[in-house]
Amino acid sequence: MPLRHLPYDTAAPAHSAAAAALQPWSVERIVELMPGFIYVYNHRTQANEYTNRSVGQYLGYDPDELRAMGDALFLQITHPQDLPKLIAHVGAMQDLDADGTLWLDYRIRAKDGRTVWLRSVDRIFERGTDGHVLRHIGCATDITAEKQSSLDLASAHAQLTEQAEELRQLTFVATHDLKVPVNNLARLSLMLQDCADDLSPDVRELVDWLNRAAEQANEKIASLVHVSQIRDEPVAPDPLIDPRGAIAAALWGMRARLRAAGARLVLQVERGLRVRFHPDDLRAVLHSLLQNACDYADATRPLTITIRAHATANGLAIAVQDTGTGIDLPRDEENLFGLFKRLHVDPPGQGVALYCARTLVQRRGGTLQAQGAPGQGATFTLTIPRARTQP
């Protein structure tokens, strides 16, 4: 069914070169150049009355072949699983407003046997005198690549979820099943230490080594449990808090360590700040940063720790700056926040605190970044986006 030519009024002035260029074009020419393919569906005959030639590019059929299928069109080329929703979609056109639009994603069997995903966008083309829809017009585009990408992404997500669950179970089994033998080793080493007077110096040295190894194993297991709990714990809605409370709690919890390190504290915290963050988690993050500052104090100069908190254009920032030994960036940045990664042998540690601190912050949409240089101290800055803050 050919479409009529565009009306052209020779008396009307041409307002632009583009308008003049359109004068000899027909509607048929325009629809052939549009992306996708256009069709007109007759609701009484339940068949396509018109399909432009672009359909061959997508499905391999020419318009005459589709029209020849008549009311068997849907049965012959629609994927069986999508046939019910396509029929319901056509039926829903009867309830569509004059300016309404319906769209549907569904699968079609191309002439060469391929399965093609189409996205149809349909509008009413003609109504009868009784108000019923006689015809609707639509444009269908090939979204096979988009759907395949979505399927691939869903499959990858399912695999990652499965792997994460396996890792969680493995961590649970490892941490809980290892506790018994490690605790047994620790008890055995303590029993042997009680008999130290009856042991030779070489044996006492071996017992001390056994005791240290058992303690290290217990610390690793405790760290694994801590990491597992942080990653598995759901992120509940956070209360609106004044960060000064979490800062004060972290300083109180670290008071003995700060005193032992001879640390001088400088607080530069704006008043009236509010942040969406769990107070215990914020305290834990700050505790880790304070602990790190104490652990890496420079023996050649006094330790000063400065805590700054202020509003930013994007939200809230809390910085913990120290005058310690510093860090070598960007060389050490990956290890700095890596799980079980450490930059130095001394002081001893598990390489967990900064990893957990960054994880706690990132789970709430924030960041934890480091700045510094060897011998010039370090600054760790916690940022929380405006979406989680309130004036």
Side-chain angles (χ1 to χ4, degrees):
M1 182 180 80
L3 296 179
R4 62 185 180 86
H5 283 67
L6 282 171
Y8 172 58
D9 185 354
T10 56
H15 295 287
S16 67
L22 283 174
Q23 292 173 5
W25 284 25
S26 66
V27 173
E28 185 75 24
R29 172 64 173 157
I30 292 175
V31 298
E32 293 302 334
L33 294 177
M34 289 183 63
F37 60 90
I38 297 174
Y39 52 87
V40 176
Y41 181 83
N42 188 310
H43 284 243
R44 288 182 175 175
T45 62
Q46 298 183 356
N48 270 6
E49 288 188 349
Y50 169 81
T51 308
N52 64 344
R53 289 191 296 273
S54 298
V55 70
Q57 175 185 348
Y58 296 94
L59 303 181
Y61 297 101
D62 62 45
D64 291 336
E65 288 178 305
L66 293 180
R67 285 196 294 273
M69 293 180 189
D71 59 6
L73 173 67
F74 289 170
L75 288 173
Q76 291 192 35
I77 67 173
T78 307
H79 192 286
Q81 294 180 359
D82 293 340
L83 183 58
K85 69 178 182 180
L86 180 56
I87 294 175
H89 171 81
V90 173
M93 295 296 300
Q94 295 295 337
D95 300 322
L96 193 63
D97 294 336
D99 296 328
T101 301
L102 289 180
W103 63 271
L104 180 69
D105 294 352
Y106 58 102
R107 287 164 289 184
I108 291 290
R109 288 192 297 265
K111 189 173 182 179
D112 60 5
R114 292 178 298 114
T115 297
V116 179
W117 274 97
L118 295 180
R119 175 168 294 155
S120 286
V121 181
D122 299 325
R123 298 193 65 175
I124 295 173
F125 187 66
E126 182 184 3
R127 287 186 185 271
T129 55
D130 58 359
H132 281 77
V133 175
L134 297 181
R135 295 176 177 85
H136 76 258
I137 187 170
C139 179
T141 54
D142 186 343
I143 59 168
T144 305
E146 174 187 333
K147 285 291 184 179
Q148 188 58 51
S149 296
S150 298
L151 291 173
D152 292 343
L153 183 60
S155 177
H157 181 267
Q159 291 178 3
L160 287 175
T161 301
E162 182 180 356
Q163 292 171 1
E165 177 61 21
E166 290 176 352
L167 180 59
R168 189 193 67 80
Q169 293 178 1
L170 178 62
T171 302
F172 179 85
V173 171
T175 53
H176 288 73
D177 288 0
L178 282 175
K179 279 186 176 180
V180 174
V182 170
N183 286 336
N184 288 339
L185 283 174
R187 282 194 292 268
L188 175 60
S189 66
L190 291 175
M191 292 171 61
L192 290 173
Q193 281 184 328
D194 291 340
C195 303
D197 293 340
D198 300 327
L199 302 175
S200 67
D202 291 342
V203 174
R204 284 200 296 270
E205 184 178 350
L206 289 175
V207 171
D208 289 339
W209 177 84
L210 177 62
N211 187 49
R212 289 194 300 272
E215 289 177 352
Q216 291 173 356
N218 265 321
E219 291 173 355
K220 285 290 186 183
I221 291 173
S223 298
L224 278 171
V225 172
H226 183 49
V227 171
S228 179
Q229 289 173 341
I230 288 177
R231 298 200 68 87
D232 290 343
E233 180 183 354
V235 181
D238 295 320
L240 189 65
I241 65 170
D242 185 337
R244 291 183 301 171
I247 293 173
L251 290 172
W252 176 256
M254 282 289 296
R255 63 190 184 283
R257 185 72 181 85
L258 291 168
R259 190 181 303 114
R264 172 177 172 266
L265 294 176
V266 178
L267 298 182
Q268 299 175 353
V269 181
E270 291 182 4
R271 293 184 176 273
L273 295 176
R274 294 294 184 270
V275 61
R276 294 279 180 186
F277 212 100
H278 196 285
D280 291 341
D281 287 350
L282 184 54
R283 178 197 56 77
V285 171
L286 295 171
H287 186 283
S288 296
L289 299 182
L290 291 169
Q291 179 70 52
N292 187 79
C294 291
D295 287 345
Y296 295 99
D298 192 329
T300 65
R301 61 175 180 267
L303 174 62
T304 298
I305 301 176
T306 302
I307 301 177
R308 298 185 180 90
H310 62 277
T312 68
N314 298 320
L316 179 74
I318 302 176
V320 178
Q321 181 180 12
D322 64 61
T323 57
T325 57
I327 47 180
D328 189 354
L329 296 176
R331 188 195 69 180
D332 293 332
E333 186 169 11
E334 182 177 353
N335 288 336
L336 186 65
F337 293 104
L339 180 58
F340 299 127
K341 300 287 183 66
R342 304 194 68 251
L343 303 186
H344 310 283
V345 175
D346 185 50
Q350 302 302 317
V352 170
L354 291 180
Y355 169 85
C356 291
R358 173 175 271 191
T359 300
L360 286 172
V361 174
Q362 289 178 337
R363 279 160 56 87
R364 289 172 169 83
T367 63
L368 180 60
Q369 297 177 323
Q371 292 178 311
Q376 298 181 24
T379 301
F380 290 85
T381 303
L382 155 67
T383 62
I384 303 171
R386 180 170 295 281
R388 289 192 170 271
T389 63
Q390 176 175 309

